[in-house]
Amino acid sequence: MSKRTFKAKLLHRRRIDQLLAGIFDVPLLVLLSSMGYGKTTAVRQFLNSQKHMNYCWFPLCTDEDDGEWMWRKFCHSLEEVNGELAKSLAEYGLPKNNVDRERILGLFKNSLTEPLIMVIDDYHENKSPEMDQLITYLAKAAVKDLHLMLISRFRPKLSVEELALKGYCLQIAQDQFAFNESETAQLFLENGFSLSAHELEALHENNEGWAAAIYLSLLRYAEDGRISDIKDITRLIKTAVFDKFDLEVQTILIKLSLLDAFDLKGAVYVTGNPKAGKIILNLANNHCFIRYDAKNEAYVIHAILKTVLQELLAIDDLDREALLTRCGDWCRENKSVIEAISFYTASRNYEGILAVFDRPGSTKYFLQAPQIVIRAFQEMPGEVKWAYPYAYLTYVYCYLVRYNSREGARMFYEAKGYYEAQENLRDKDRIMGEIALIESFLHYNDLSGMIHYHKKACLNFAGSSSRIAYHSIVTFGAPHVLFHYHKDIGKLREKTELLEKDACYYIQAANGCGTGFEYTAWAEYYLETGDLDKAELFAHKGILKARTRAQTSLVICATLCLARVSALKGKRPQACALLEGLRSEVEASRSSIMLDSYDIALSELYGILGYSERIPQWLQEGDIDQCAIYRQGSEVIYRVMCMGAALRRSYRELEIIAETMGQACRTYNYLFGHIYAGIYDAIAKYYGHSPGKAAESLQQAIDLAMPDGIVTPFAENLGELAPVLEEIQGIQKSEWLKKVYRLGGKHLMPAAPKDRPNPIEDNPAVRLSRRESDVLALIGEGYKQAEIAKELCLSPNTVRRHLQNVYKKLEVDNKVMALKKAGKLNILP
């Protein structure tokens, strides 16, 4: 098989162990040195000496340029030590902002019950700034049982010095890894050779403590008993190691250098040599440049030898494309689909890539590694990709919905024209059904257009469902349904009826996505128009139905409905409990989109209830770029921003946010967005620098809302809006305004003391009589003074006198302030 090779023993250097033990004193340890200084070997020896210590090892690959795929492989390396944590991290996706990083941090804190060392090898290959930011974030967080170790040839793009200065990081540099003379002498001695002082001095002078050079010097010394000068490590590896193998072994190694790791069956398949497995097994048992990784059950070629092999592969007369295809076939056979796509791309085996995407549910591969998939399809000739309609349309759908809508639309219409023109296209009806379903996304916000294409898709599918559309999020991540589609004044009910009509078509075409959509839409309709009992009924129906198909986005929407109903009924603790109780279900979805949607829903409720301190900082600041929800749903964040600014009484900021919200909602003419923009602009002006202009802004919102009977946005903000409403002529006696006061009055009323989350002690200096309390309570429910007189069998003058007494006792000037003050003092029954 090969010429006889001396098998050297490796030296376990206790000095390096002591350096590496610093990992237990800091969250992050960084190892820096050039190739061949024994970093990886030293770390493995150290970890193996730590009995009962959990660790995972993640080697980065050459040219690792797809952050999402790198993250999934990173998570996979965790599976053996903590499978649940690995799965959760993978499904959350690569953290892209501080919100994501905080959630990842929470996962580590909640999942680790004993110390874990996470090693990332070859960190110099990292091209993801998000990974750099996560490492820094975790290091600064100093999680009790988490220790990170980075092995790199170059300084990583982390603020290592700053982290070290603050006590979060230790760094082991190249000169600390270098062999000293004592260690060099010990290595030779353990392999049976006692060096003279002259030989040891010559050896140290020649290799300067470079571990790879010392090891090769040992091989040379075992062969001819001489210390030789080592300058070109690559040339020496070839002559001292590679050239000693016979041609068959050399060919096997050159072919396998394409793989980062492989098992024995893989070695046979890729090389096409039935003896390859046996040869690799023998090499691993007798040679330090081929190592068996027991943790991953795979064989790995040392980086120095691999460099030489890949240089030889570049000039060898092997059929490189056929070899790459065999690597791709093997990876695909073993469920390593993304690696298979990379190999197929390198070999220009486009049929192999298309065969992967031709199967149902293959959209997940785009989400796992978008850059790798985009690169694969961009290199394909048109006639090749069009020959696989399901595969190409899957790619177009993913690109359109998740990556770039403008370019995705161009690709879609090009493909649509091509397939429509093919008279003999196999399975044409189903393909046109897929096209119709994808085209519906290009008519977002146009319900009639969307229904047309959903119907068309169902007709073409003829009772079956899409092979492409899986796991769609019908709310686009916003915790509302109607927000997206209400864009015509006076047509809210009509739009809700259309949504109900369309739901059955979309649900059928999209494999059950959207189940519960129609009930949730009606729940929101009744909530916004003030019919709380019906809103509650339909919200419960929506939740029950959505859960049958794991439609978490709709569960969030319907639960927010229920919580807002409870808040309007004055049941604050119940409102919080409803939505906060959903947390475990949302977290179980392991979706950053669902988590962001849930955060927005909670923040809306907290804003309505006045709990500004509970709104997450990222939503207080309103950094939309940090949000994972789809672009179509992101305008809802402005409402939370407005709430936060209003609660902070930052009225200039509120005015700017409201103005920005109005501008952002113009693209799709989101009427709910315009209504909220008008409400918050009025609040900003009234309590800010332009009180005289507040009524004008509020009037614009009323004009948008009144034709549809929309009252709840005003009722939820009645505490601030009441003085402005009183200035608007022509609505004082309207049923619309009466409904606003009736809804908002209960919302402003205090909860029973036992239900209050943070009760305020009674003020003994303020005492209202029974009649004064009754009058104020009815004011809170939206009653006029004349109506109160009739309800309590009093004269209008008596009611007026009671109300004046209330104002005097509470030291306020109007009924809204009276209600708020009474609530704080807890003096109403």
Side-chain angles (χ1 to χ4, degrees):
M1 181 186 75
S2 65
K3 299 179 178 118
R4 180 175 176 78
T5 304
F6 169 73
K7 183 186 178 184
K9 297 177 182 177
L10 296 177
L11 179 67
H12 189 166
R13 295 189 285 168
R14 305 297 176 187
R15 175 179 66 85
I16 301 299
D17 279 357
Q18 292 175 357
L19 292 174
L20 293 175
I23 187 66
F24 300 117
D25 301 322
V26 292
L28 175 65
L29 187 68
V30 179
L31 287 66
L32 289 175
S33 76
S34 302
M35 180 173 66
Y37 271 85
K39 303 181 295 297
T40 298
T41 299
V43 172
R44 287 192 179 278
Q45 287 177 333
F46 168 74
L47 292 175
N48 289 334
S49 70
Q50 301 297 309
K51 303 301 181 185
H52 311 300
M53 170 59 66
N54 282 330
Y55 75 89
C56 66
W57 190 287
F58 173 52
L60 276 164
C61 301
T62 305
D63 299 323
E64 191 79 77
D65 62 352
D66 192 308
E68 291 291 348
W69 181 235
M70 177 203 65
W71 175 255
R72 289 186 176 272
K73 291 192 291 181
F74 169 72
C75 297
H76 177 70
S77 70
L78 256 174
E79 285 183 356
E80 186 178 333
V81 293
N82 195 323
E84 191 61 30
L85 174 61
K87 187 177 180 182
S88 297
L89 290 173
E91 293 185 359
Y92 276 4
L94 175 67
K96 295 181 174 63
N97 51 59
N98 280 343
V99 181
D100 293 342
R101 287 186 275 275
E102 186 64 26
R103 288 175 182 151
I104 295 298
L105 175 62
L107 281 176
F108 277 112
K109 286 181 176 178
N110 295 331
S111 299
L112 295 180
T113 56
E114 52 188 14
L116 170 67
I117 297 176
M118 299 183 69
V119 181
I120 306 181
D121 199 359
D122 291 329
Y123 195 79
H124 53 273
E125 297 289 356
N126 175 52
K127 295 177 179 63
S128 168
E130 291 86 1
M131 188 57 126
D132 291 331
Q133 291 160 5
L134 177 63
I135 295 296
T136 302
Y137 198 84
L138 292 175
K140 289 181 176 179
V143 181
K144 178 186 175 187
D145 289 321
L146 179 63
H147 305 281
L148 302 165
M149 188 181 292
L150 307 183
I151 305 175
S152 182
R153 295 180 195 171
F154 319 119
R155 185 175 301 279
K157 295 178 181 178
L158 305 172
S159 52
V160 175
E161 286 76 12
E162 178 191 348
L163 290 170
L165 192 63
K166 295 179 177 179
Y168 297 122
C169 174
L170 284 177
Q171 180 177 304
I172 303 177
Q174 181 167 296
D175 59 345
Q176 293 172 286
F177 266 102
F179 269 67
N180 56 37
E181 287 193 16
S182 172
E183 290 168 337
T184 303
Q186 186 65 30
L187 172 66
F188 274 72
L189 191 61
E190 289 195 6
N191 281 278
F193 308 109
S194 180
L195 296 181
S196 66
H198 175 73
E199 288 176 320
L200 189 58
E201 182 181 354
L203 180 59
H204 197 68
E205 182 179 335
N206 287 341
N207 57 54
E208 298 179 342
W210 191 5
I214 291 173
Y215 176 76
L216 289 169
S217 296
L218 174 60
L219 296 183
R220 279 280 187 88
Y221 194 87
E223 187 175 309
D224 56 22
R226 292 186 297 116
I227 298 295
S228 55
D229 190 7
I230 297 173
K231 300 297 183 185
D232 185 349
I233 194 71
T234 302
R235 179 184 59 80
L236 187 60
I237 282 283
K238 184 178 182 304
T239 57
V241 179
F242 180 79
D243 287 348
K244 292 189 178 298
F245 299 130
D246 60 33
L247 182 60
E248 183 179 36
V249 175
Q250 291 177 352
T251 303
I252 287 171
L253 290 175
I254 288 173
K255 289 181 177 181
L256 291 176
S257 68
L258 287 169
L259 298 170
D260 293 315
F262 49 87
D263 60 14
L264 298 181
K265 288 183 179 179
V268 171
Y269 185 91
V270 169
T271 63
N273 187 330
K275 295 190 292 183
K278 197 173 194 179
I279 289 171
I280 291 298
L281 181 61
N282 186 59
L283 286 173
N285 289 333
N286 293 283
H287 211 289
C288 291
F289 287 99
I290 311 291
R291 176 178 58 81
Y292 179 66
D293 180 357
K295 211 172 185 69
N296 295 306
E297 299 181 336
Y299 292 85
V300 180
I301 301 174
H302 194 284
I304 296 179
L305 177 57
K306 192 170 184 177
T307 300
V308 173
L309 295 172
Q310 290 181 338
E311 288 178 1
L312 293 170
L313 177 62
I315 61 174
D316 204 288
D317 60 357
L318 291 170
D319 186 343
R320 184 179 177 84
E321 289 190 4
L323 179 58
L324 287 165
T325 292
R326 290 183 72 83
C327 289
D329 290 343
W330 175 252
C331 290
R332 182 180 167 196
E333 182 70 23
N334 286 274
K335 313 297 186 213
S336 300
V337 176
I338 303 302
E339 284 92 345
I341 292 171
S342 295
F343 280 120
Y344 288 147
T345 303
S347 66
R348 295 193 289 273
N349 180 1
Y350 303 125
E351 285 80 5
I353 298 168
L354 291 162
V356 168
F357 278 87
D358 204 41
R359 303 179 67 181
S362 55
T363 53
K364 62 186 176 185
Y365 301 129
F366 187 97
L367 300 178
Q368 289 173 1
Q371 296 305 321
I372 290 173
V373 173
I374 290 170
R375 185 162 54 245
F377 274 87
Q378 283 179 339
E379 294 183 9
M380 290 184 197
E383 62 275 10
V384 175
K385 57 192 174 190
W386 288 339
Y388 289 77
Y390 290 115
Y392 185 55
L393 289 172
T394 297
Y395 170 69
V396 171
Y397 166 76
C398 292
Y399 197 97
L400 169 70
V401 175
R402 297 303 303 270
Y403 193 74
N404 185 316
S405 58
R406 186 184 297 272
E407 177 61 15
R410 185 199 66 77
M411 293 191 297
F412 168 77
Y413 283 119
E414 181 183 43
K416 178 185 177 183
Y418 175 83
Y419 293 126
E420 284 181 335
Q422 304 303 304
E423 295 182 3
N424 298 318
L425 180 65
R426 181 182 176 187
D427 212 7
K428 185 169 183 176
D429 282 347
R430 282 189 56 87
I431 291 166
M432 298 314 296
E434 301 286 5
I435 287 172
L437 188 57
I438 296 171
E439 191 160 6
S440 72
F441 286 92
L442 295 172
H443 292 266
Y444 165 75
N445 194 237
D446 172 13
L447 269 179
S448 297
M450 294 179 75
I451 291 172
H452 168 75
Y453 287 104
H454 294 160
K455 280 184 176 179
K456 191 173 180 180
C458 286
L459 185 64
N460 281 284
F461 287 145
S464 60
S465 300
S466 171
R467 289 175 52 172
I468 295 174
Y470 281 82
H471 312 301
S472 297
I473 299 175
V474 294
T475 65
F476 300 94
H480 300 277
V481 170
L482 293 183
F483 185 94
H484 298 282
Y485 301 104
H486 179 42
K487 63 178 186 176
D488 298 307
I489 298 173
K491 299 289 183 67
L492 179 60
R493 186 176 184 93
E494 180 182 319
K495 288 296 171 70
T496 308
E497 290 170 347
L498 279 174
L499 283 169
E500 179 181 30
K501 180 180 178 182
D502 180 45
C504 62
Y505 299 115
Y506 181 75
I507 292 167
Q508 179 183 330
N511 299 285
C513 294
T515 298
F517 189 77
E518 71 279 24
Y519 289 139
T520 306
W522 279 115
E524 290 186 6
Y525 171 80
Y526 287 119
L527 170 66
E528 301 297 353
T529 56
D531 192 335
L532 302 187
D533 291 337
K534 284 187 178 178
E536 194 169 18
L537 172 66
F538 279 95
H540 280 299
K541 286 184 175 181
I543 291 169
L544 290 171
K545 194 168 182 182
R547 280 176 172 154
T548 65
R549 297 301 293 268
Q551 296 295 289
T552 307
S553 64
L554 291 171
V555 173
I556 293 171
C557 292
T559 307
L560 176 58
C561 260
L562 287 177
R564 289 173 68 192
V565 167
S566 292
L568 287 166
K569 289 183 175 181
K571 301 175 181 177
R572 291 173 166 238
Q574 182 178 334
C576 290
L578 279 165
L579 206 50
E580 290 170 351
L582 196 62
R583 180 174 298 279
S584 60
E585 182 175 346
V586 175
E587 290 180 344
S589 73
R590 296 190 177 96
S591 164
S592 58
I593 297 175
M594 291 300 94
L595 286 164
D596 282 356
S597 180
Y598 180 62
D599 270 357
I600 294 168
L602 273 175
S603 298
E604 282 195 30
L605 179 64
Y606 292 151
I608 291 166
L609 297 176
Y611 302 154
S612 61
E613 71 284 355
R614 300 189 192 182
I615 299 175
Q617 190 62 34
W618 76 274
L619 280 166
Q620 293 265 20
E621 296 170 355
D623 190 348
I624 291 179
D625 291 336
Q626 290 198 30
C627 190
I629 68 175
Y630 289 32
R631 174 64 187 85
Q632 292 93 328
S634 60
E635 278 77 5
V636 298
I637 297 174
Y638 288 111
R639 185 190 178 197
V640 177
M641 293 170 62
C642 285
M643 287 174 162
L647 291 169
R648 294 192 303 274
R649 299 182 181 179
S650 180
Y651 296 117
R652 288 187 180 276
E653 179 189 1
L654 176 59
E655 189 174 10
I656 296 299
I657 298 170
E659 179 184 345
T660 306
M661 183 179 192
Q663 293 170 347
C665 289
R666 286 175 191 163
T667 303
Y668 296 111
N669 196 29
Y670 294 135
L671 286 187
F672 277 109
H674 289 305
I675 290 168
Y676 281 116
I679 287 172
Y680 289 114
D681 188 58
I683 293 171
K685 285 181 167 62
Y686 185 81
Y687 295 98
H689 58 87
S690 306
K693 297 180 180 179
E696 181 182 343
S697 293
L698 189 58
Q699 183 66 65
Q700 292 174 2
I702 292 170
D703 291 343
L704 295 175
M706 192 181 287
D708 288 293
I710 297 171
V711 291
T712 298
F714 301 87
E716 289 174 335
N717 292 280
L718 184 58
E720 289 75 21
L721 288 180
V724 190
L725 284 167
E726 291 175 359
E727 292 182 12
I728 298 176
Q729 300 299 317
I731 68 165
Q732 276 73 16
K733 296 182 180 180
S734 70
E735 287 299 316
W736 180 87
L737 185 59
K738 186 175 181 179
K739 199 169 186 178
V740 168
Y741 271 99
R742 188 176 299 120
L743 282 173
K746 286 189 176 181
H747 167 50
L748 290 173
M749 293 279 283
K754 65 180 180 180
D755 293 331
R756 287 174 167 272
N758 293 299
I760 300 173
E761 293 295 325
D762 289 354
N763 185 342
V766 179
R767 290 279 187 263
L768 298 184
S769 70
R770 175 63 182 273
R771 276 305 187 200
E772 288 167 351
S773 295
D774 291 341
V775 168
L776 187 56
L778 289 173
I779 285 288
E781 293 185 25
Y783 282 70
K784 302 292 185 184
Q785 289 185 28
E787 294 170 332
I788 294 172
K790 185 177 180 180
E791 180 75 18
L792 298 179
C793 299
L794 301 172
S795 71
N797 287 335
T798 302
V799 171
R800 191 176 304 112
R801 189 174 64 253
H802 283 317
L803 200 53
Q804 288 171 348
N805 289 337
V806 169
Y807 293 170
K808 185 177 180 180
K809 288 181 179 181
L810 295 176
E811 299 178 337
V812 297
D813 298 321
N814 59 59
K815 58 190 176 186
V816 173
M817 297 306 296
L819 285 166
K820 294 186 83 169
K821 184 74 173 285
K824 287 183 179 179
L825 297 175
N826 193 22
I827 58 176
L828 282 177

